[in-house]
Amino acid sequence: DVPPDDKVDNPKQIFSITKSGISFMERMNKAGKPFFLQLSHYATHARYEARPATLKKYENNPVFNQITDKRVAKNAITLAAMIEDLDTSIGMILKTIDDLGIASNTYVIFTSDNGFRSWNEGAEPLRGGKWWNWDGGLRVPMIVRGPGIKPHTRCNVNVVGYDFLPTFADLAGASASVPKAVDGISFKP
């Protein structure tokens, strides 16, 4: 395992967190046990970090060379590289699910908060940022992969964090055990 303070090959502990999750999935699968795994990455938050090889790809990208403010350019380059490292780690999770042969009964929900942003920096065309009640402070990414979900499907239904519990219970066939007083509804449909 990679030491948690190794920022060269494990920026923001992206790969050690992912490897721990993969190890857990492999153990549960080997034991024939269903599981719930939540990986909470630190990536996209302040103090951007990326692997040197990934960072180098973006430092030479002409899109970023057009940014005249050196601080903004450095942040944009490092953020882009960090997100690619995070994407690579999510790909590792999806590949493991496929390799274990459990994709036909496993749901993966990727979501994030809106990261660390000051007012509108990097959020355009959305207005506002974290801590604001405008779109830039409320909209976050969410991707779902699992049985019955066709690739490239898009849904425009609003989802809020407290919808996850009823949804997970619904997917597990246990929606009747969720107390009526619990906020949220299943977004399975």
Side-chain angles (χ1 to χ4, degrees):
D1 281 51
V2 179
D5 60 347
D6 183 356
K7 294 183 182 197
V8 174
D9 292 321
N10 190 28
K12 304 292 275 194
Q13 300 181 33
I14 291 171
F15 296 99
S16 57
I17 291 170
T18 298
K19 287 177 184 177
S20 293
I22 288 171
S23 175
F24 174 77
M25 289 190 306
E26 290 170 342
R27 287 193 316 274
M28 293 299 104
N29 188 61
K30 186 175 182 179
K33 293 182 178 180
F35 63 87
F36 172 85
L37 171 64
Q38 177 176 327
L39 296 180
S40 299
H41 283 279
Y42 308 108
T44 76
H45 282 270
R47 291 191 317 265
Y48 300 157
E49 300 169 3
R51 294 185 297 186
T54 313
L55 193 57
K56 190 173 188 95
K57 290 170 40 180
Y58 290 92
E59 288 173 338
N60 299 320
N61 187 311
V63 170
F64 295 105
N65 293 333
Q66 295 174 20
I67 302 171
T68 55
D69 183 312
K70 291 193 184 300
R71 183 193 65 82
V72 172
K74 184 177 190 286
N75 282 341
I77 289 166
T78 309
L79 177 60
M82 182 174 61
I83 289 173
E84 181 175 325
D85 287 341
L86 178 61
D87 286 350
T88 298
S89 80
I90 301 303
M92 292 165 61
I93 293 287
L94 297 176
K95 182 180 183 318
T96 300
I97 290 168
D98 292 341
D99 291 349
L100 292 174
I102 59 174
S104 65
N105 67 351
T106 301
Y107 287 91
V108 176
I109 299 174
F110 174 87
T111 190
S112 175
D113 71 358
N114 42 19
F116 176 79
R117 284 199 304 264
S118 59
W119 173 258
N120 256 28
E121 187 176 297
E124 297 83 7
L126 303 179
R127 185 169 64 146
K130 194 168 198 162
W131 306 294
W132 293 88
N133 281 330
W134 291 316
D135 283 356
L138 298 174
R139 289 186 179 195
V140 297
M142 186 172 118
I143 303 168
V144 181
R145 181 185 106 160
I149 301 172
K150 295 178 183 162
H152 310 291
T153 301
R154 183 179 182 92
C155 177
N156 291 318
V157 173
N158 290 329
V159 174
V160 68
Y162 49 76
D163 290 334
F164 287 113
L165 174 62
T167 302
F168 296 154
D170 194 7
L171 291 170
S175 55
S177 64
V178 176
K180 298 281 185 224
V182 169
D183 283 337
I185 60 170
S186 172
F187 58 82
K188 177 183 173 187

